[in-house]
Each structure stands twice: as C-alpha cells, then as structure tokens.
C-alpha cells in the first residue's frame, strides 16, 4: 500500500491518501490494516470532496476496467465499474449504439456515473443514468456480494444509485444502451434574451427534441439578465445529407489533444474576462437560430477537447454550484440566483441551465428531480465567495430545491439534510468501512 | 487478421497489447495461471472485437506442458503467427540472497521457462517460414545490480538467448523481438514508489505492437532507457562496485 496526493476536479483540496489497488473483481476488497476507512475513486471528475477521503484510503476503481459482455443485437452492455464512458462509446458507436444518458464529460467511470446518478441533456425524456442500469454487483467490506436490480435487493439498488460510493464497491454493472444510426446529431442553437424566453423554448422543445441545454450569461444584471443560447438536438437519422456532414470529422476530433499545459499563478477568470467572454459568446452566431449537424463529441463533450481545463482557475482551484429548484418556483428562484451572482461579479462563463423532466430517479439520494437546474463554476475566492454561496443556499432552500453532491465541496449539513430527506433511511445502507470527506461534513452533529 | 498466442496474458503489459489486437479483430489465445482473471480478460477481449479468444490455465514452470500449449493455441486459431511471452515475477532480492531454492525458482520462472517456450515456438515458426516472437525481458538484464541481480540475471539469460535466436531465425523468415521495459506502473510494481521514469502499461504496449508490425529487434520502452542503460553498461566495474544502484 502506498500513499499518494489526490485532488478532485475543482482542485480546492489536495490531500494525501492511502491507496488500495483493485486488481480483480473476483477478489475480496483489501482493506487498510490501520482500520482506516475507504472510498472508491474512479477518474476524479467529481468537483468537491464527495470523491475524496482525507485521512482515509481510496480504492483505485479505475483498475476494474474490463468489459464483460456486449450484445450488439440487444444493446445490453455489462462491464466492470471502472470502465470509462469514453471506452464504451469507442466500442459501441461503430456498432450503432449510444449511452442512454451521458454527463458533460466522457471521462467518468460507469461506477461513478451510477454512484452520482449522473444526468444529461435528455433528462426530460429519459431520466438519469440509474434509470438505465438493469443490474449491478455490490461488494461490501465484509466480503459479501449482492446482485442488485429492481427485482433483486431493490432497496440496495436504490441506495447505491446516487449513493456516492458509500454503500460498497460497484464491481460491475449492466446498462441498456440506445440505438443510433450514426455518430451525428442534428442540432439547433437559438439565442434567447430573457428567462421567460428560456422557459418557453424549453417547454416548446421538450416533446420534439431528445436533448436540450442552455448556456446562460451570468455576468450582467438588468436588461441583459437571463440572456443565453438554447441548444437542442436529436440523433441524426440513418439517411444523412452528405453535404451537411462536417468536413474533417471525425479525424480532427478523434482524440482530445489540447491540454492546459500549466496552472497559471492566478485565476484567469475574473470580472473583466468574464464580461468580455460572455458578450463575445452570446454574439458568436450571426443569426438567432443556427442549425447544424454535429459529431457527438463536440455536442456532448465540448470541454473534453481541452484536457485539464480545470487548471485555468489557478492554484486555488474553483467550486461548482449546481442546484435544482421545483417547477412552481423555478422562474423566480432562478432569477434571484442570477441576480445575486451578477451582483457579486464572481460568476463563471460555464453557466448551464436545463429543465429536468418527470422521469423519477431511482436513488434515495439521486440529485435530479422535476424542475430547473442551474450550474456554475466560481474561482475560489475564499470568504467572499462563501458568503455568496450562503445567499444562494437560502434562495434554493426557500424554493424547496437542493444541491448536487457530485459538484459540491462546501454545503452545510443542514442544507444537505433539507434537500435530501431520505438521508436517514440511506445511512443504514452505508458500509461501515466506507466514508468520504463530503459524508463526514454533511453528517456532522447527527 | 493475426493469430496470436500470449503467455502470461494476465500481466498488465500483455493485457494492454491484447486490447490493441482485439480492437483490430485479431484471434487470440491466452495462457496464464489465474483462472478467473484469465476468464475476465478473455471476456473483455471478446467484447472489444477479437475475432476469436481461447484460453488455457497454464503454469510456465511445468515445462512438459509447453509443447501442448503451442499445439492447443495453433489448433484453436487454425494457425499461429505471433507469440508474445510476457509471464514473470518480480523477485524479492533480499530473500533470494539467502534462500537459494527461492533464487533458483525465480531464475526458472523468469529465465529458463522463457528459453523453453522461445525454443518450441521458434521451431514451429521456422518450419512455416514466417512469424514473430516478442519476449519481455527487462533493462534489469543489461547489467547485474545489487538491488535486483537475481531477477536481472534471469532477464540477461532471456536477452542473450533471444539475441542468438533472432540471428539464427532471421534467415528463416522469423522475427524475434526483445522488449526491455523500464519502470512500468502495474499491479506487479504496485508496492513501489513511483517517480518521473514510470510509465503506464499502455505506453509499453504501443511500443511492443509497433515493433511487431513494423520491425524492430531490441525495443527499449520507453525509448529513453536505451540511453540510460548505455551509460550504466559503460560505467567501469571499479567505479560500479562503489555506487549503489
């Protein structure tokens, strides 16, 4: 066993952890002799401390990266928990299949996608990742193994989907993929000038478009508040207009090759860069509506093309704030959030707005629920930023919403418990040897 | 499509090579000691696109099984054109210094068993007049060092044997490749502290598959080890005995 410094995607925490290898899914877990707690660590794309275990050990989940079976006729895929979504796409897209749900990066593991019950741009149509898992195996620290599905060990299934890796190790899982005719998407980008317009566009698009998501400008208040670009798309049909296929693809995007080479001494994100970037980005397209055929990589994973983009926030790292607020309060709460952020001058250019739909999440602690979700990055600016977060927390809680643990590095125990009323039920499924920095924080005083 | 036998298929380097071959639709036959691990790798390679995947539980120290392995692999794939020999153990040098049977066992696993397999595979490929044998030796075989000379001397045997075999079989259309990895981050080396010279098995696999495809006789991987070892080999012995490497 060795020790290694780990940081999560937001790079705020840098902590040495004991490391425990996982050479085979057939072996029992090797646990630290010290009695320290463990936590599965996949590819490190969670933002805060839900994937870190300071003072404890991390199980190297990425070592379980084998496929078990793929049926190209039914699209049923069984693989180990450490397989990356990018490996799945590489295997199945040429055979006419696609992930049923994908988050904004393909560099997450299947185990991580389940443990955070990740969502994508098609939540309104198909729910989150856990809704497409047909079964999984859970390995506990006592050596017991449970096959979990809707039929078998259904309670463990519900605890493990969105269970933040705390219920045990997901050694393997089975996922039902969805058919596609080719790697392309038929997309539209529409400029909108207000939040009302966003909600109208969302509602109008939900029936006819599988994927919808918006970039929203959070740098300005007043007249420009709530302006943005609405993106929607569908998988392209089997018969493609050859002239419309983007030239030079997919070779040009075959592998992400650009990398942020160094961490700049200070964050490159500040009020000035933010305002100019957002103005440029909002006006990047000449027409109000632009239709195009896009390869799936730039459409779903625009940021994956720039490896280690998290470095641009400088050595202090950044926080992401992602919340969901229920439909009845969505407009007023979202406006209040944007106003508070614009007034602080601290927002990000990666602000994302999306309507979640009605498909019910399966996990006890799943984040998605019907309503509107807003996600923003904030360079770590210490107390000033935490004061803004406290202000945002109040708006979210007043509206009956909650925050996303996968993106969180700071919410209080009270905010967590208010957002996730099933937490008490969940605690009985937590493995006695498993723990995380996040979990210790939100379980304080209970 | 190639027909490839991999001995020591559960080694991280071998598995990384096998994934690259599976993806291009080759036929594979895997041999290793650990049955469940062997099965999961075989399943994985099948899913990744290997045309056929066979496997056999195999202990390289049972020399009387070597010929049968080659025969099984050839029968299963209906031919054989590439052999990758990748099995081995990382010897505990300190134990080997006093435990002679252990030291000889390590030499058998990492040295003479490889010699046996190379000989049998070499004859079969020579008879058909084509094919390639890639064998994983080590930079540790280039010069015996106090920190791991038992492992190193077994690898030196492999390197010297491969060199002679290559010279002989080149005239018969058979290509022998000696692979000399440096520090590779694998389960075998999980307990060791990692530094800047360490690489992932995928990088080693890229060098191995390229050498088999495009030719290449002695492959240091990553390539900078050629220069490191050039220096280490040329340190005069009277200086060498005074330094600790």
């Amino acid at each position: 066993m060795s020790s290694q410094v780990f940081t999560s995607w937001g790079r705020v925490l840098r902590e040495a952890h004991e490391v425990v290898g996982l050479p085979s899914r057939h072996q029992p877990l090797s646990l630290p002799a010290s009695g320290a707690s463990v936590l599965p660590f996949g590819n490190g794309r969670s933002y805060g401390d839900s994937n870190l275990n300071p003072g404890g050990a991390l199980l190297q989940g990425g070592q379980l990266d084998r496929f078990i079976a793929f049926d190209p006729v039914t699209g049923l895929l069984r693989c180990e928990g450490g397989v990356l979504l990018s490996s799945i796409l590489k295997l199945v897209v040429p055979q006419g299949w696609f992930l049923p749900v994908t988050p904004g990066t393909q560099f997450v593991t299947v185990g991580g996608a389940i443990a955070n019950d990740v969502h994508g741009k098609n939540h309104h149509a198909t729910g989150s990742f856990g809704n497409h898992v047909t079964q999984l195996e859970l390995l506990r620290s006592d050596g017991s193994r449970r096959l979990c599905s809707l039929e078998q060990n259904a309670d463990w299934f519900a605890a493990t989907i969105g269970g933040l890796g705390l219920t045990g190790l997901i050694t393997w899982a089975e996922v039902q993929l969805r058919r596609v005719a080719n790697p392309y998407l038929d997309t539209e980008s529409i400029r909108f000038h207000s939040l009302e317009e966003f909600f109208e566009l969302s509602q109008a698009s939900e029936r006819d478009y599988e994927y919808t998501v918006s970039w929203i400008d959070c740098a300005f208040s007043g007249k420009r508040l709530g302006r943005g670009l609405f993106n929607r798309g569908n998988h392209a049909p089997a018969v493609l207009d050859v002239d419309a296929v983007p030239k030079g693809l997919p070779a040009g995007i075959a592998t992400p090759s650009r990398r942020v080479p160094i961490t700049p001494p200070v964050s490159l994100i500040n009020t000035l860069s933010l305002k100019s970037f957002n103005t440029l980005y909002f006006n990047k397209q000449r027409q109000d509506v632009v239709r195009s055929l896009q390869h799936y990589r730039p459409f779903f994973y625009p940021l994956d093309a720039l490896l280690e983009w998290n470095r641009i926030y400088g050595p202090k790292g950044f926080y992401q704030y992602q919340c969901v607020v229920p439909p009845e309060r969505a407009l007023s709460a979202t406006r209040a959030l944007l106003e508070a952020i614009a007034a602080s001058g601290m927002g990000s250019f990666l602000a994302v707005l999306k309507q979640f739909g009605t498909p019910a999440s399966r996990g006890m602690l799943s984040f998605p629920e019907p309503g509107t979700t807003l996600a923003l990055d904030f360079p770590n600016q210490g107390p000033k930023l935490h004061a803004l977060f406290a202000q945002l927390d109040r708006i979210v809680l007043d509206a009956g919403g909650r925050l996303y643990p996968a993106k969180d590095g700071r919410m209080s125990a009270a905010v967590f418990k208010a957002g996730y009323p099933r937490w008490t039920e969940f605690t009985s499924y937590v493995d006695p040897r498993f723990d995380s920095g996040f979990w210790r924080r939100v379980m304080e005083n209970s | 499509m190639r027909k490839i036998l991999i001995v020591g298929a559960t080694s991280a380097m071998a598995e990384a090579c096998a994934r690259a071959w599976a993806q291009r639709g080759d036929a594979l036959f895997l041999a290793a000691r650990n049955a469940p691990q062997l099965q999961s790798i075989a399943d994985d390679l099948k899913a990744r696109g290997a045309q056929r995947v066979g496997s056999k539980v195999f202990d390289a120290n049972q020399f009387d099984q070597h010929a049968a392995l080659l025969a099984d692999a050839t029968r299963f794939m209906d031919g054989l054109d590439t052999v990758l020999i990748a099995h081995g153990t990382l010897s505990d040098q300190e134990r080997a210094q006093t435990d002679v049977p252990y030291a000889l066992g390590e030499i058998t696993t990492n040295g003479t068993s490889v010699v046996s397999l190379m000989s049998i595979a070499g004859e079969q490929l020579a008879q058909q007049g084509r094919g390639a044998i890639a064998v994983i030796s080590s930079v540790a075989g280039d010069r015996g060092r106090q920190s791991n000379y038992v492992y190193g001397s077994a690898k030196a045997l492999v390197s010297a044997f491969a060199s002679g075999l290559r010279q002989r079989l080149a005239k018969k259309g058979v290509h022998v490749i000696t692979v000399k990895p440096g520090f590779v981050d694998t389960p075998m080396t999980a307990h060791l502290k990692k530094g800047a010279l360490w690489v992932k098995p995928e990088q080693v696999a890229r060098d191995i598959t390229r050498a088999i495809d495009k030719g290449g006789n002695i492959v240091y991987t990553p390539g900078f080890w050629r220069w490191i070892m050039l220096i280490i080999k040329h340190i005069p012995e009277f200086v060498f005995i005074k330094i600790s490497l």
Side-chain angles (χ1 to χ4, degrees):
Chain A
M1 240 165 280
S2 58
S3 170
Q4 213 176 306
V5 173
F6 283 81
T7 178
S8 61
W9 194 243
R11 306 178 81 250
V12 172
L13 289 180
R14 307 184 69 80
E15 299 276 354
H17 290 76
E18 249 184 277
V19 184
V20 181
L22 295 169
S24 153
R25 69 173 185 269
H26 305 290
Q27 291 173 6
L29 294 177
S30 42
L31 296 161
S34 60
S37 65
V38 295
L39 183 73
F41 185 90
N43 206 35
R45 252 54 176 191
S46 291
Y47 283 66
D49 54 358
S50 65
N51 62 346
L52 297 177
N53 188 18
L58 293 176
L59 302 170
Q60 286 186 313
Q63 292 181 348
L64 296 182
D65 69 341
R66 298 192 180 102
F67 291 104
I68 298 169
F70 172 56
D71 184 341
V73 178
T74 61
L76 205 57
L77 174 90
R78 192 184 295 187
C79 66
E80 294 184 345
V83 170
L84 292 175
L85 298 189
S86 58
S87 309
I88 294 179
L89 290 169
K90 211 162 125 191
L91 174 72
V92 305
V93 171
Q95 303 185 62
W97 294 95
F98 204 79
L99 292 164
V101 166
T102 175
T105 170
Q106 55 178 336
F107 300 125
V108 301
T109 62
V110 167
I114 296 171
N116 294 291
D117 197 11
V118 298
H119 57 270
K121 302 174 186 186
N122 56 353
H123 185 275
H124 61 277
T126 50
S128 47
F129 197 86
N131 292 54
H132 306 273
V133 175
T134 44
Q135 51 176 338
L136 60 85
E137 186 192 65
L138 188 66
L139 172 59
R140 303 265 293 177
S141 62
D142 62 6
S144 64
R145 289 170 192 266
R146 281 181 183 78
L147 198 67
C148 307
S149 67
L150 287 180
E151 292 81 34
Q152 245 181 309
N153 292 309
D155 53 339
W156 287 92
F157 196 49
T160 301
I161 292 173
L164 303 169
L166 295 162
T167 60
L169 178 74
I170 299 168
T171 54
W172 61 263
E174 191 179 71
V175 182
Q176 177 60 54
L177 304 178
R178 58 104 67 223
R179 267 256 174 242
V180 291
N182 54 57
Y184 296 98
L185 289 117
D186 203 349
T187 72
E188 264 184 10
S189 173
I190 305 163
R191 196 148 42 206
F192 60 89
H193 297 85
S194 70
L195 274 180
E196 286 83 354
E197 222 178 299
F198 161 80
F199 283 99
E200 278 161 27
L201 269 169
S202 254
Q203 208 172 11
S205 308
E206 274 179 15
R207 205 195 54 191
D208 297 331
Y209 291 86
E210 180 174 353
Y211 301 103
T212 67
V213 72
S214 296
W215 167 81
I216 186 152
D217 186 344
C218 60
F220 298 97
S221 47
K223 236 174 61 183
R224 285 181 283 193
L225 180 92
R227 66 177 190 174
L229 298 170
F230 190 92
N231 285 291
R232 57 190 190 188
N234 285 314
H235 287 285
V239 184
L240 273 180
D241 174 2
V242 180
D243 294 331
V245 175
K247 297 284 183 292
L249 291 170
I253 51 160
T255 43
S257 51
R258 282 166 201 268
R259 182 179 288 273
V260 175
I262 52 151
T263 305
V266 294
S267 170
L268 299 181
I269 314 299
N270 54 47
T271 313
L272 188 65
S273 67
L274 186 66
K275 287 200 170 170
S276 8
F277 173 87
N278 282 13
T279 303
L280 278 173
Y281 196 79
F282 182 73
N283 293 306
K284 72 171 181 163
Q285 61 189 55
R286 281 205 208 137
Q287 295 99 3
D288 278 333
V289 181
V290 173
R291 199 168 162 202
S292 67
L293 206 56
Q294 274 188 291
H295 189 271
Y296 76 84
R297 283 198 208 99
F299 181 74
F300 288 110
Y301 316 114
L303 288 171
D304 282 353
L306 190 63
L307 291 173
E308 298 182 52
W309 61 262
N310 52 342
R311 288 177 165 185
I312 60 174
Y313 288 94
K316 285 195 233 154
F318 70 102
Y319 287 95
Q320 181 158 100
Y321 192 89
Q322 182 166 4
C323 60
V324 58
V325 285
E328 53 279 9
R329 305 284 296 276
L331 178 58
S332 60
T334 308
R335 174 169 294 124
L337 290 167
L338 290 174
E339 272 167 0
I341 293 161
S344 77
M346 285 189 282
S348 67
F349 44 66
L350 302 166
V352 175
L353 193 61
K354 147 109 197 126
Q355 284 280 67
F356 282 152
T358 47
S361 298
R362 288 177 175 169
M364 289 176 195
L365 298 188
S366 287
F367 166 67
E369 65 179 357
T372 304
T373 180
L374 174 68
L376 299 111
D377 297 330
F378 295 88
N380 180 9
Q381 298 182 52
K384 180 166 99 168
L385 178 63
H386 288 277
L388 171 66
F389 282 152
Q391 206 183 334
L392 302 182
D393 287 351
R394 267 194 300 281
I395 298 169
V396 172
L397 288 194
D398 286 350
R402 61 190 179 203
L403 306 186
Y404 190 8
K407 304 284 183 71
D408 177 72
R410 38 71 48 189
M411 77 166 100
S412 68
V415 170
F416 173 75
K417 287 169 183 168
Y420 294 88
R422 291 181 78 184
W423 71 269
T424 40
E425 181 189 357
F426 176 77
T427 50
S428 59
Y429 293 93
V430 174
D431 188 293
R433 286 298 295 273
F434 282 47
D435 205 353
S436 70
F438 173 86
W439 193 243
R440 278 191 289 279
R441 171 158 47 78
V442 300
M443 283 300 105
E444 262 174 27
N445 312 319
S446 66
Chain B
M1 185 198 69
R2 279 176 199 270
K3 297 164 180 175
I4 306 171
L5 164 65
I6 305 175
V7 185
T10 54
S11 103
M13 288 185 258
E15 189 178 357
C17 290
R19 286 184 179 182
W21 289 325
Q23 223 163 320
R24 61 185 201 200
D26 291 340
L28 303 167
F29 194 87
L30 317 175
R33 278 180 304 175
N34 183 326
Q37 188 78 338
L38 192 57
Q39 189 57 50
S40 14
I41 292 173
D43 291 343
D44 174 70
L45 297 173
K46 221 174 290 170
R48 284 175 199 266
Q51 179 149 109
R52 303 193 70 189
V53 184
S55 64
K56 186 181 183 179
V57 177
F58 170 82
D59 181 349
N61 286 336
Q62 293 186 330
F63 286 64
D64 56 348
Q65 295 297 308
H66 289 191
L69 176 68
L70 268 289
D72 286 349
T74 309
R75 199 175 318 115
F76 179 82
M77 295 184 286
D78 194 21
L80 179 69
D81 41 44
T82 305
V83 180
L84 171 65
I85 303 174
H87 70 279
T89 52
L90 188 58
S91 314
D92 178 347
Q93 172 65 26
E94 241 171 85
R95 179 176 167 196
Q97 279 156 206
T98 49
D99 185 343
V100 176
Y102 170 76
L104 295 179
E106 289 299 301
I107 304 266
T108 306
T109 306
N110 294 305
T112 48
S113 79
V114 180
V115 165
S116 164
L117 282 163
M118 273 197 284
S119 304
I120 297 169
E123 284 321 290
Q124 182 172 331
L125 298 184
Q127 250 170 34
Q128 66 190 34
R130 57 176 190 85
I133 302 172
V135 61
I136 301 202
S137 184
S138 170
V139 295
D142 281 9
R143 188 166 194 177
R145 292 174 297 116
Q146 62 180 4
S147 56
N148 69 345
Y149 61 84
V150 171
Y151 179 76
S153 56
K155 291 299 194 182
L157 166 61
V158 169
S159 294
F161 189 89
S163 167
L165 190 70
R166 169 165 45 247
Q167 198 180 20
R168 181 166 76 88
L169 295 188
K171 293 151 187 101
K172 304 195 170 174
V174 179
H175 179 201
V176 177
I177 301 138
T178 313
V179 182
K180 295 185 177 180
F183 300 141
V184 188
D185 185 359
T186 69
M188 185 162 118
T189 58
H191 58 291
L192 301 174
K193 198 144 186 80
K194 312 290 183 294
L197 295 180
W198 288 79
V199 295
K200 294 274 172 207
E202 288 72 27
Q203 189 172 339
V204 172
R206 267 196 296 278
D207 290 345
I208 296 175
T209 52
R210 194 188 306 122
I212 293 173
D213 289 346
K214 299 196 170 154
N217 295 320
I218 300 174
V219 181
Y220 283 88
T221 170
F224 58 74
W225 281 97
R226 182 179 297 277
W227 313 113
I228 297 178
M229 294 320 294
L230 188 70
I231 296 165
I232 290 179
K233 279 193 289 191
H234 286 86
I235 299 172
E237 195 72 10
F238 73 88
V239 178
F240 194 71
I241 57 173
K242 287 182 188 150
I243 58 181
S244 51
L245 266 174

